[in-house]
Amino acid sequence: MEIIKLPDTASTNDFLLGLNTDQELCVVTDYQSAGKGMGTNTWESEPGKNLLFSILLHPTWLPINKQYLLSMAEAVAIVEVLGEGFEIKWPNDIYYGDKKLSGTRIDVNLQGNSLKDVIIGTGINVNQEVFHSDAPNPISLKNITGTDHDREVLLHKILERFSYHYNTLADSSQKLSTFNFQLSIQESYHNHLYRRTGLHTYSDKSGTFQAEIVSVANNGIITLRRTDSTLSHYEFKELKFC
């Protein structure tokens, strides 16, 4: 995958959205003046300290209702590279303990009823030590380890793992009538989930409750089992981790 390096840009996702290319690319920058999280969230990053990159894909072979598999593949790739202690907080944040290390935003262009472009934009706090935004719980690799980390080495390792999962998914979808590999991705994703076992506190539009995670489907919907054994299903932004 070709890597485009930019000293700065408004948003790596927006940069790729402005391209008209059939190539699959990665763009990485030292600074984003308008970095975006999921929804209307913004992403704070000190210039030259963190890893900010976006991947442009053309997964026309992937059904629209299974596009969340790509988000799963990205999150799994990151925790595989970072190692023990790092977990995936639904839908695709990376946590260390109860603190947020990384977030991912996905933008999609459709062509008719098919996926045309998928852009996966990720920010990872690497060498930044102090955070000034109102984000409640940021942490960086340097906060955790006490040492600086090579951002370029980290990027190449993540791209290698993501490419493996992405290409295996693509190969299985083209050779088989069913998506067998998606089960492997979903299993890996679930095994790395933050709060994957036990009862924890959540809230929705009806209030606060205790529940345990049952599963996350390939369309991104999370299922929780409440203490009265009823199952509740949520899309992104419908559920809050307390």
Side-chain angles (χ1 to χ4, degrees), residues 68-86:
Y68 189 73
L69 288 169
L70 301 178
S71 179
M72 287 184 169
E74 171 78 347
V76 168
I78 293 172
V79 295
E80 285 176 342
V81 169
L82 295 178
E84 186 176 354
F86 295 91

Side-chain angles (χ1 to χ4, degrees), residues 7 26 30 42 83 98 115 130 141 172 176 187 196 202 208 236:
C26 173
D30 283 335
T42 59
D98 292 318
L115 292 171
V130 179
L141 290 178
S172 69
L176 304 171
E187 182 179 5
R196 63 185 175 276
Y202 302 89
T208 301
F236 177 61

Side-chain angles (χ1 to χ4, degrees), residues 201-205 207-209 234 238-242:
T201 305
Y202 302 89
S203 65
D204 60 14
K205 63 182 181 180
T208 301
F209 60 94
Y234 298 95
E238 292 180 344
L239 178 73
K240 181 180 179 181
F241 286 59
C242 299

Side-chain angles (χ1 to χ4, degrees), residues 32-51:
Q32 292 184 126
S33 59
K36 300 176 182 178
M38 288 296 286
T40 59
N41 295 338
T42 59
W43 185 263
E44 176 196 358
S45 182
E46 187 178 338
K49 293 291 186 179
N50 300 321
L51 184 54

